[in-house]
Amino acid sequence: MIFSPECDHCEHMVDSMKMIADKFKTTQLLLVAEDRNKQYMGGFITKTGIGSHPLFQKIGTNKGELIFAIYTYKILPQINFYNSKHLLEKTFEGNYPFDSVKMFIR
């Protein structure tokens, strides 16, 4: 999930994922924000209550231009689902029904 720690939609997406955390059997979650937002990460973690949650331990910022090199996003959050062969299956951008995202979580 590419997100901004100042994004309300991103907070809501994290809240939705917390509610179904038990469904993450083989799906791994990685949250990445742009490095320029690093100063806001602590507030996001506190506000969403994910600090000690096992599902949300892979969270950080991109120190280079990797996000821009790989992804073209217009609206956050962007969730990208990859299969076990590391091939992109589906991308969701912006505000979308959580049920459509939930069906990709295994």
Side-chain angles (χ1 to χ4, degrees):
M1 177 175 148
I2 302 170
F3 76 104
S4 170
E6 297 184 293
C7 168
D8 290 339
H9 292 320
C10 299
E11 289 176 22
H12 295 302
M13 185 57 60
V14 166
D15 288 340
S16 296
M17 285 190 280
K18 282 187 340 189
M19 293 172 60
I20 63 158
D22 62 324
K23 303 288 186 211
F24 283 79
K25 306 282 191 229
T26 61
T27 301
Q28 295 180 19
L29 180 62
L30 172 65
L31 288 91
V32 181
E34 293 178 30
D35 199 49
R36 65 182 175 165
N37 292 317
K38 193 173 193 171
Q39 63 186 347
Y40 306 110
M41 292 292 279
F44 181 83
I45 291 168
T46 300
K47 192 173 186 180
T48 57
I50 61 172
S52 61
H53 197 291
L55 181 62
F56 299 96
Q57 295 307 300
K58 295 177 183 172
I59 182 171
T61 59
N62 172 48
K63 295 188 186 234
E65 298 296 321
L66 184 63
I67 291 175
F68 294 114
I70 296 176
Y71 302 103
T72 55
Y73 66 90
K74 299 174 187 165
I75 302 171
L76 295 177
Q78 178 177 326
I79 297 182
N80 303 294
F81 284 96
Y82 291 86
N83 64 23
S84 61
K85 296 178 183 175
H86 308 288
L87 298 174
L88 183 65
E89 282 189 1
K90 182 72 176 169
T91 297
F92 295 93
E93 292 182 310
N95 195 12
Y96 32 80
F98 185 69
D99 284 344
S100 57
V101 172
K102 189 168 63 172
M103 65 185 280
F104 284 90
I105 296 170
R106 299 174 183 98

